[in-house]
């Protein structure tokens, strides 16, 4: 994990937030390459969820909703984690995660393990951030930052049913920020207090819930494999009955083998009719499906819920590689080309050579109309390649002496380091095709 954190910082993917003021625990800011890579992940999710399907529509609901939404959903009373304080070291821990935590005075020990540890009884701590809406500060203006995007979807169920003229099975997909006052954030992007979610609520006839639940586990697993995660690092873990959230009839996690061990990458839950029933009761608006023949029922909901921050972390971990090439260490991010922030680098071999620069700039201007590409004429060619390797750029086109003679360029493959020559006029088409090709990591 340390290597990922340091590469992310060094190459401008992710910085500790408000660093000049000493940072804010477990908050991060995304730099240029981080933004590009995370945007790619979100776009690929929307592509699979909306663009490639007939049955799912997009939504972007507000972050601050009517607070009654969170009463109806059970979050005001139930969205809590058990918290214990240590009176000695003054640290706070999640009571259900003491096994993974370290004592504040003796980090090799768990909280409670040393004779000095003095833990309080566990008490329930609500994870929602409270805020005030408007100028009057009293309880009538209390509101919450959403702790999940899902509820914004449920309260729009009727709008979508009517206006998008859908009938079950159909889904609503949303990407957006969520906020949780996590007791123990940490492990870089894995658990932060402000993060993004990619959630899709799929409304189905109750009798079909089990079948769709299995279907979405398979679909989501296949999506992670499609975008390069190694199957040896992925597994599906069904929840035990005593682990299930209050709303869930069944749930499974897609887990990734992070450096901290197997941990949730995405959760798929069968939420039954819990949410639509709750909001029907609390709002007085009937959230149900009425068929043409007059049949009516409250659909069940299957929810795949993941997050682009955690997904990016998994992809960085999976992609990170070190090798020795020609007696030099090479660090390379073997990201899926669709996820890589920059698709190709365009490099004049000799930056002082005006003709090379002109050809390279021309190629760059042509390619940037379609793809995120980078022009670089700063420093030794070897250093420029290494920089591109570290940000995971899959291809580099180099303009050299021969280009000036025959209008061909070298293309270098990030993974195999193979080089071939291409006519300048063919590069645009070649890159388009190369980015479409299925890709598998060469990592074992
Ligand atoms: P955990 O058990 O890890 O706290 P959860 O089961 O509460 O997660 P969900 O409510 O299922 O998480 O949220 C769905 C997805 O949102 C997670 O799979 C993860 O990708 C993302 N997510 C949730 N909490 C965080 C967080 N604090 N930081 C980053 N991503 C998060």
């Amino acid at each position: 994990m340390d290597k990922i954190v340091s590469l992310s910082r060094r190459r401008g993917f992710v910085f500790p937030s408000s660093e000049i003021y000493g940072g804010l625990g477990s908050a991060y800011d995304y730099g240029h390459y981080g933004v590009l890579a995370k945007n790619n992940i979100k776009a690929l999710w929307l592509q699979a969820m909306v663009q490639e399907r007939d049955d799912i529509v997009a939504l972007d609901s507000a972050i601050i909703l009517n607070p009654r939404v969170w009463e109806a959903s059970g979050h005001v009373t139930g969205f809590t984690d058990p918290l214990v304080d240590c009176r000695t070291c003054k640290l706070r821990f999640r009571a259900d995660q003491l096994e993974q935590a370290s004592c504040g005075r003796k980090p090799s020990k768990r909280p409670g393990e040393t004779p000095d540890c003095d833990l309080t009884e566990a008490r329930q701590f609500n994870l929602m951030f409270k805020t005030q809406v408007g100028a009057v500060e009293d309880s009538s203006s209390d509101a919450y930052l959403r702790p999940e995007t899902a509820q914004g979807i449920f309260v729009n169920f009727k709008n979508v049913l009517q206006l998008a003229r859908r009938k079950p099975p159909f889904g609503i997909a949303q990407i957006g920020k969520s906020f949780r006052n996590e007791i123990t954030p940490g492990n870089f992007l894995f658990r932060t207090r402000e993060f993004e979610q990619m959630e899709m609520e799929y409304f189905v006839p109750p009798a079909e819930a089990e079948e769709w639940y299995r279907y979405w586990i398979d679909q989501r697993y296949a999506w992670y494999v499609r975008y390069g995660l190694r199957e040896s690092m992925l597994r599906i873990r069904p929840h035990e009955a005593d682990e299930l959230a209050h709303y869930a009839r069944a749930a499974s996690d897609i887990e990734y083998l992070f450096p901290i061990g197997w941990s949730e990458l995405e959760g798929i839950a069968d939420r039954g009719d819990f949410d639509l029933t709750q909001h029907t009761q609390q709002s007085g608006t009937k959230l149900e499906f009425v068929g043409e023949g007059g049949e009516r029922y409250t659909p069940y909901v299957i929810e795949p819920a993941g997050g682009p921050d955690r997904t990016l972390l998994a992809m960085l971990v999976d992609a990170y590689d070190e090798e020795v090439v020609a007696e030099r260490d090479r660090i390379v991010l073997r990201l899926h080309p669709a996820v890589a922030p920059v698709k190709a680098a365009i490099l004049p071999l000799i930056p002082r050579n005006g003709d090379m620069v002109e050809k390279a700039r021309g190629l760059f201007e042509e390619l940037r109309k379609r793809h995120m590409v980078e022009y670089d004429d700063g420093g030794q060619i070897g250093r420029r390649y290494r920089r591109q390797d570290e940000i995971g750029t899959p291809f580099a086109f180099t303009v050299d002496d021969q280009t000036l003679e025959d209008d061909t360029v070298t293309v270098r493959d990030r993974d195999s380091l193979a080089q071939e020559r291409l006519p300048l006029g063919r590069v645009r088409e070649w890159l388009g095709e190369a980015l479409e090709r299925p890709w598998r990591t060469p990592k074992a």
Side-chain angles (χ1 to χ4, degrees), residues 155-174:
V155 298
N156 277 290
F157 173 78
K158 208 172 164 197
N159 290 334
V160 175
L161 197 62
Q162 288 175 345
L163 301 174
R165 287 176 295 122
R166 301 285 156 164
K167 62 179 203 185
F170 78 97
I172 306 177
Q174 162 154 243

Side-chain angles (χ1 to χ4, degrees), residues 180 182 189-192 195 197 264-267 305-307 310:
R180 296 181 186 176
E182 301 274 7
L189 303 176
F190 183 83
R191 192 181 302 286
T192 52
F195 54 95
Q197 288 190 304
E264 172 180 335
L265 182 56
E266 168 157 349
R310 216 177 262 190

Side-chain angles (χ1 to χ4, degrees), residues 189-247:
L189 303 176
F190 183 83
R191 192 181 302 286
T192 52
R193 294 195 171 105
E194 174 180 347
F195 54 95
E196 282 189 278
Q197 288 190 304
M198 310 189 285
E199 295 194 295
M200 195 277 290
E201 308 302 321
Y202 199 71
F203 301 94
V204 303
E208 296 175 18
E210 167 81 21
E211 179 193 330
W212 286 111
Y213 169 63
R214 304 260 149 239
Y215 169 88
W216 279 109
I217 295 174
D218 293 346
Q219 287 288 309
R220 295 304 305 147
Y221 182 90
W223 185 84
Y224 289 105
V225 175
R226 176 174 167 188
Y227 291 110
L229 294 188
R230 288 166 294 166
E231 289 204 64
S232 57
M233 306 290 278
L234 286 167
R235 72 177 188 193
I236 293 165
R237 189 183 67 81
H239 282 205
E240 305 290 338
D242 62 356
E243 243 187 298
L244 287 177
H246 62 281
Y247 52 74

